[in-house]
Amino acid sequence: AGTGGSSTPSARQGAMVVAGARRAGMGAAGRRRRTKVVFILGDALRLPFADESFDAATISFGLRNIADTRAALAELRRVVRPDGTLVICEFSTPPGPLLRRLYRVWTGRVMPALAAVGSSDAAAYSYLVESIRAWPDQRALAGLIQEAGWAEVEWRNLTGGIVALHRARRPWDQAAAATA
């Protein structure tokens, strides 16, 4: 969850929010800024929670940074209760050819040029562009989510498909039904 910016609206609405940060500095910054969010240090591939601990799991602009997307999706499924929800907000691929072409020019030429002029860390922008281009499109990510055992996988394009919001539900399975 980084510093928890995308976690704050849920906490403000009364949800108990536990935000995971991989680096201590991010969690510490989040704790200072967001008093309604609980921060823990954790690895998305080995979450420090019992099975079926949460009603929902969300991740915003971070799934593409995890080394093993499939394993992370399976781990999120493990900690969400049956009938619970997964929501992923992530960069994606504009489905329209004109916007897709403009977006490629923006990320390939304009963004790096702006980063070279105005950023103290232009390499971070190069990584951002590379990670976005290597990331699966909406349909392919939906397939990965479904392969990880999630059901009712759907997505909605935001900003013309530059960003997509994927949603899924953890189905009741035999293991879950046996403990119910």
Side-chain angles (χ1 to χ4, degrees):
T3 61
S6 62
S7 303
T8 302
S10 296
R12 281 191 188 135
Q13 299 237 339
M16 167 61 173
V17 177
V18 179
R22 184 153 168 89
R23 291 182 174 73
M26 295 293 268
R31 275 186 209 92
R32 284 192 302 274
R33 293 184 208 164
R34 304 175 206 302
T35 58
K36 294 184 178 197
V37 176
V38 175
F39 283 85
I40 58 100
L41 264 178
D43 180 345
L45 299 175
R46 290 179 297 284
L47 294 170
F49 306 109
D51 295 357
E52 303 177 6
S53 296
F54 296 96
D55 294 329
T58 66
I59 186 166
S60 299
F61 303 106
L63 187 59
R64 75 181 190 295
N65 297 323
I66 299 171
D68 188 340
T69 302
R70 284 179 172 87
L73 291 167
E75 183 67 351
L76 290 169
R77 182 182 184 280
R78 181 187 70 77
V79 300
V80 171
R81 67 167 172 74
D83 242 8
T85 303
L86 172 70
V87 178
I88 299 168
C89 184
E90 189 58 82
F91 288 107
S92 200
T93 304
L98 179 59
L99 184 55
R100 187 170 45 245
R101 174 77 177 127
L102 290 171
Y103 186 55
R104 283 189 188 138
V105 170
W106 172 262
T107 58
R109 295 185 187 153
V110 178
M111 190 185 298
L114 291 173
V117 173
S119 174
S120 61
D121 189 5
Y125 285 90
S126 294
Y127 168 76
L128 176 63
V129 170
E130 290 168 16
S131 71
I132 291 169
R133 288 194 172 167
W135 188 245
D137 68 11
Q138 294 86 323
R139 188 171 311 282
L141 180 55
L144 292 174
I145 294 167
Q146 192 164 9
E147 286 172 19
W150 294 91
E152 300 174 27
V153 180
E154 57 189 16
W155 72 86
R156 183 176 68 168
N157 287 327
L158 307 173
T159 59
I162 291 170
V163 171
L165 194 64
H166 282 73
R167 185 169 183 219
R169 183 185 60 79
R170 180 176 173 188
W172 286 90
D173 54 30
Q174 288 181 335
T179 61

